[in-house]
Amino acid sequence: MDLFVKRINTLPGRGSELHNMWVKPEPHKSGMSWTCIQQDEYFEIYKKRMGFSMLKSESPFRLVIRSDPPRMVAEAATQEIIMRDFQSAERILNNAMLENESIASLNIAERIDFLLVRLQCMTVELLNSNEKKVQQEEEQRQKEELTSADAFRNTFDLKTEKLLATFACSMWEKVPKSGTLYLSHNYLCFSSPISTRLVKLLLVEIKSISKTKHNGVGTIKIVGPTEELWLVSFRLNDIFDMLQQLWDLAMNRVLQSAEKTMEGIEATYSRRISTTKSAETPLSPRPVPQKFNSKASLQQNKRDANFQQNFRLPLDETLLKEYTKVRVLKGTKFRKGRLYISTHFIAFESNTWGNNKFFSFVMAFQDIEFISTSEDDPFVLGEADLSRSQRSSQVIKLHEAVGEYSIQVPDDNQRDALLSELNDLHYKIKSQYNEKKLVNSWSVWSLSIEDKIGQSLLENRREFAPMYVEKEERKSEDWRKYCAKYGNGLSMTKTDKLKLMIRQGIPNNIRGRMWMIFSGAFALLLSKGAGYFQSLYDRRDECQVKDEIEKDLHRSFPEHPFFQTEEGLNCLRKVLVAFSVHNPVIGYCQSMNIVCATLLLFLPEEHSFFLLCTICEQLVPDYYVKAMIGSIVDQRLFQELMTNGMPEVAAHLESTGLPLPLVTLPWFMCIFIGYVPLEVALRILDCFFGMDGPPFLFSVGLALFEANEEAVLNENDGTLLSNLLRNSVKDPDDILPLAFEEADLITPSMLADMKNTHRAKAIKDMETKTENTRLRELKKSVNLSPADVTRLYNEFVSANRGTQADYVQFEELFQKHCPEWDGDIEIQILFKLLDKDRTGLIDVGDYVSALSIILAGTPAERIHYEYEYAVTLLQRFYEKKPTKEEKEETVEKKEKKKEVDLISFDDDHDDHADEDTATPPKQSPRSPDGLWRSRSIDVPAITVSFHQSDLDEDNRLSFKEYQAALHHPILQPVLNLPEK
């Protein structure tokens, strides 16, 4: 027994790296891959045959009890260890027979059953003890995390900061000094027991983060406002990924705040503090960046983002599971790689690029007709790592209307888990068909979309080079063969060959379909369901940019016959209006009309809408928002590429008074449409939507300058230079071969590192501009001196690490500026007054404006402010709006529900205010779907209606707060109540 206990506790991950363990008895299939090397009446010992590969979780030796069916009870890495297991098991049986004569009287089969039960019981008992040990280890880990969090807050004086992760690493000074790296939402901190120096760096102050070598050692280089830091660690990649992600999130928060301020600056400072939210309140350019509460949530967000980007899937798609070492069969060949399961899609990608080995596909669950397991082995018999029966049992088939994919996983357990998960998700999606009006690929593509523009586009032959039609016919035949082999729907297989075919151009008759598939717009259409586009257009009255859209309609391909008709203009109008309703944050931006008009040449309105959404929200995000931060960053990045690659051209453009961004910004915004011949622009769009992706825009821009380098250097007039570049390309072969060479040199990872640095600089520049504008407007709108406004503004930003503050931060700073406000209730009411959007945060502008009125306001301003203060106080109480069901109830039932009593305060009811305590009204149960509305408030005769059930909620004043506030001196002029 002691040996048994010792052996079962040597599980991998629990003190041993060898696969030698007792296991819970499970059926054993010997097959062709195992050979028996020893046996007796009770046990058999098996060894893996030579030439048969093993799974990572397998061991080469097994001990099998001769039950019916045979069951494996132990496995080991060496024959010596498995023999000890064999002897130990027999000793357990012999000791039992000596201690109990009834066991000795059993026959062989009964003794095997007894031994099997004994081994199973002891295994379960010991495994349970191991589970307890794991639980204890988890509790210890949580205690260590709490200890680390306390050390972080105390060491760096960050009482309210949330610690997300710690890493053991070294910071290079003169020599590496080992210590602990702390990462939080807003800070990077480092401390070392062998150094007195503490590093405390705000993430938003970081200028760049990169992997590099320092003194020959791989490090992470962090450029701060005043110094450079080098981090060394065995977990360098983990630290870099998390630091990069936190930095990006921090900069997004700065950007969101700056954009909101720039958009709302006039409305914010043209009025005094108001408790009602104006209908003109500007929308944020993007959702408020999410704050993640743990390292695990950050990692999940990173996985989701990579998954969405790699497979061009909607931004709300969540990765549920990833399977490695999966083999997928399509046609006659199988590929090894990774299988990804998300909420609406299945995706697969092989492990390698190049040599025609890249292989990937995406499949929507609604496209799957049924899921089965294979009884026939579809894989090549030469793959002898598993027996034929085992390979067959581990194959799952996904059946579409036009074909199937076969998936093989390493073992039966993974197969069962994958099959169960696929069936559950498939059933869930299918059950939503009617509710969400979902469609599948084939019902969408049954529409005749290929003939729409191919014909009308070719009517305008002057846009194309000679022999265009002949080249189209040759390409069409190649694409027909590829689609016949790999599919032409969402699940179309992507290979290296497909990338080359896209670069050679997509035929007009399938161009729109391929754009939808490659860009991810088709996946977005499937996830949104049928009718989404029409439902948006039905809400066209909500469009706030109709005038801007109408102005640009006639500027969109005015020379093309399709847009010289009312039908063409109406199609363009519908798509742009529907998009503005779908995304009011972007609404409409010039150049969107040019892009959208091109899409409509190849796609119907609904498909063009989804492709426009994909361009503006995924492929080139932040290009078309009001601040245009995405295009600004890309222009800075392109300028760096030009300076490094063609410094003479970049310098010459500057010397002629023609800044490079002035030339290239329209190229990127319009995706070169209108700046090169249409045939060339379509080829650029093929690659942009295809496997080259958005980085291809940089390659085309560089190729344009490279092809015209001599002409550019010889021209000194800026206007002529711009026209020269615009008219230099006559044929795709003039520019695209150079662009493909540039695309092969410029890697996405290189662009990503450069873009992050430029993005941080652009956001900081925008923040500085915003701060200067805000300060200038504040100085005009408040009663404080310019010096006081600047001082208050800087103190707020410094104390709160930004332009917004929560209640804890607000209370600490406000008590410093207004020490006479020493009551918690009064400060809470003031905070709720300033928190107009109910976000739990107040803005620096509202804070300074409030202090201006409190400290130096005129009598009229103070009276107005006191009125708003009182209204804000009283509007925190709500009454329930009866539901339809409640209206139908009888009076007797309503009385049983103990409805809320109304308490009225007016000039004739001062006796209520004189009481030290008030009896709260009786509670009324709240309907789960009940609607709530604020009562109108008439001053000085004020009626307050509220529910006892609301009194303790954090987002409303408690009854105690209410009673105390009613007797505050600031409310007496309004309420006409005596002081308490």
Side-chain angles (χ1 to χ4, degrees), residues 817-977:
H817 294 142
C818 299
E820 65 276 10
W821 285 56
D822 56 356
D824 291 341
I825 294 175
E826 291 85 349
I827 297 177
Q828 288 174 19
I829 297 172
L830 179 61
F831 180 83
K832 292 175 182 179
L833 169 62
L834 299 179
D835 181 19
K836 297 178 293 297
D837 295 335
R838 311 293 183 261
T839 61
L841 297 170
I842 64 165
D843 184 76
V844 60
D846 291 335
Y847 178 80
V848 175
S849 297
L851 282 183
S852 171
I853 295 173
I854 292 172
L855 299 176
T858 65
E861 288 175 330
R862 290 185 62 84
I863 290 174
H864 175 76
Y865 185 75
E866 290 166 357
Y867 168 79
E868 299 294 351
Y869 187 99
V871 170
T872 300
L873 165 69
L874 298 175
Q875 280 184 330
R876 288 298 184 266
F877 296 95
Y878 297 82
E879 72 169 354
K880 181 181 175 182
K881 184 178 181 179
T883 63
K884 181 179 179 181
E885 293 78 10
E886 289 175 333
K887 289 180 180 179
E888 295 173 353
E889 290 178 347
T890 61
V891 176
E892 291 79 13
K893 288 184 179 180
K894 288 184 178 180
E895 290 177 349
K896 290 181 180 179
K897 288 192 172 184
K898 300 179 181 179
E899 287 187 319
V900 172
D901 296 330
L902 299 181
I903 300 178
S904 298
F905 293 89
D906 54 32
D907 294 340
D908 299 325
H909 293 81
D910 289 347
D911 54 326
H912 286 289
D914 291 331
E915 298 176 2
D916 290 340
T917 58
T919 304
K922 297 181 180 180
Q923 182 174 350
S924 172
R926 183 189 304 187
S927 172
D929 57 348
L931 300 177
W932 296 78
R933 58 183 173 85
S934 175
R935 284 187 62 87
S936 60
I937 296 179
D938 183 18
V939 180
I942 300 175
T943 299
V944 184
S945 300
F946 61 96
H947 274 277
Q948 177 66 29
S949 59
D950 293 336
L951 299 184
D952 297 328
E953 294 188 9
D954 292 338
N955 62 337
R956 296 185 178 91
L957 292 179
S958 69
F959 188 78
K960 180 181 177 183
E961 291 173 332
Y962 173 76
Q963 288 296 312
L966 282 179
H967 297 89
H968 193 282
I970 199 171
L971 295 183
Q972 302 312 311
V974 179
L975 300 180
N976 194 24
L977 297 177

Side-chain angles (χ1 to χ4, degrees), residues 238-250:
D238 292 342
I239 295 175
F240 181 80
D241 289 343
M242 179 164 285
L243 184 56
Q244 185 78 53
Q245 192 176 3
L246 287 171
W247 183 42
D248 188 55
L249 289 170

Side-chain angles (χ1 to χ4, degrees), residues 559-778:
E559 73 281 358
H560 196 281
F562 183 62
F563 294 107
Q564 292 173 0
T565 66
E566 188 58 32
E567 178 192 1
L569 295 176
N570 192 48
C571 287
L572 181 58
R573 180 186 295 111
K574 286 181 68 175
V575 175
L576 293 176
V577 167
F579 179 84
S580 71
V581 177
H582 161 75
N583 191 333
V585 170
I586 294 177
Y588 173 74
C589 175
Q590 281 190 344
S591 73
M592 285 173 60
N593 60 314
I594 303 296
V595 175
C596 184
T598 307
L599 305 183
L600 282 167
L601 295 179
F602 292 89
L603 290 164
E605 297 159 4
E606 183 178 27
H607 293 190
S608 298
F609 163 77
F610 282 107
L611 189 49
L612 183 64
C613 291
T614 304
I615 293 171
C616 298
E617 298 172 352
Q618 288 185 255
L619 296 180
V620 283
D622 295 338
Y623 260 46
Y624 303 102
V625 296
K626 187 172 182 179
M628 295 174 60
I629 191 69
S631 55
I632 291 172
V633 170
D634 280 0
Q635 292 313 300
R636 294 187 179 192
L637 174 54
F638 186 76
Q639 190 157 16
E640 181 181 350
L641 292 173
M642 284 289 297
T643 302
N644 294 337
M646 287 176 274
E648 293 181 0
V649 174
H652 180 70
L653 289 173
E654 290 293 335
S655 67
T656 61
L658 184 67
L660 185 62
L662 193 64
V663 177
T664 58
L665 178 63
W667 296 356
F668 283 67
M669 294 291 290
C670 294
I671 319 179
F672 289 92
I673 302 169
Y675 293 89
V676 293
L678 184 56
E679 182 183 356
V680 181
L682 295 177
R683 293 280 300 277
I684 293 172
L685 283 173
D686 291 343
C687 298
F688 174 77
F689 292 131
M691 297 165 73
D692 285 294
F696 190 66
L697 298 182
F698 294 96
S699 304
V700 175
L702 292 172
L704 268 173
F705 280 106
E706 185 177 351
N708 298 280
E709 182 174 3
E710 184 177 349
V712 169
L713 292 174
N714 291 331
E715 180 58 65
N716 295 317
D717 186 284
T719 305
L720 294 177
L721 263 175
S722 181
N723 293 332
L724 183 153
L725 291 167
R726 186 167 188 161
N727 301 319
S728 63
V729 180
K730 304 299 182 184
D731 186 87
D733 292 335
D734 294 342
I735 187 69
L736 292 183
L738 285 174
F740 296 143
E741 292 179 9
E742 295 288 350
D744 293 334
L745 295 174
I746 303 173
T747 64
S749 59
M750 179 182 75
L751 284 179
D753 291 341
M754 296 170 66
K755 183 175 289 190
N756 285 331
T757 301
H758 286 292
R759 187 169 184 271
K761 292 178 181 177
I763 292 175
K764 294 298 290 184
D765 291 345
M766 183 177 177
E767 183 186 29
T768 302
K769 179 181 177 181
T770 303
E771 288 180 354
N772 294 335
T773 305
R774 170 173 278 191
L775 269 172
R776 186 171 60 251
E777 295 296 328
L778 267 175

Side-chain angles (χ1 to χ4, degrees), residues 505-521:
I506 303 174
N508 273 324
N509 64 327
I510 61 170
R511 179 166 262 145
R513 176 187 291 218
M514 294 300 109
W515 284 356
M516 289 285 289
I517 293 171
F518 300 150
S519 67

Side-chain angles (χ1 to χ4, degrees), residues 535-569:
S535 69
L536 292 171
Y537 186 68
D538 291 342
R539 295 161 47 198
R540 53 188 174 274
D541 292 340
E542 300 176 22
C543 176
Q544 299 179 1
V545 289
K546 288 180 181 178
D547 293 341
E548 290 87 342
I549 291 174
E550 289 296 330
K551 288 177 185 177
D552 288 344
L553 283 181
H554 294 278
R555 303 173 186 170
S556 311
F557 281 128
E559 73 281 358
H560 196 281
F562 183 62
F563 294 107
Q564 292 173 0
T565 66
E566 188 58 32
E567 178 192 1
L569 295 176

Side-chain angles (χ1 to χ4, degrees), residues 803-818:
T803 59
Q804 292 183 318
D806 59 22
Y807 176 73
V808 175
Q809 297 164 334
F810 163 77
E811 181 184 29
E812 182 179 352
L813 190 63
F814 184 77
Q815 286 183 332
K816 173 184 175 182
H817 294 142
C818 299

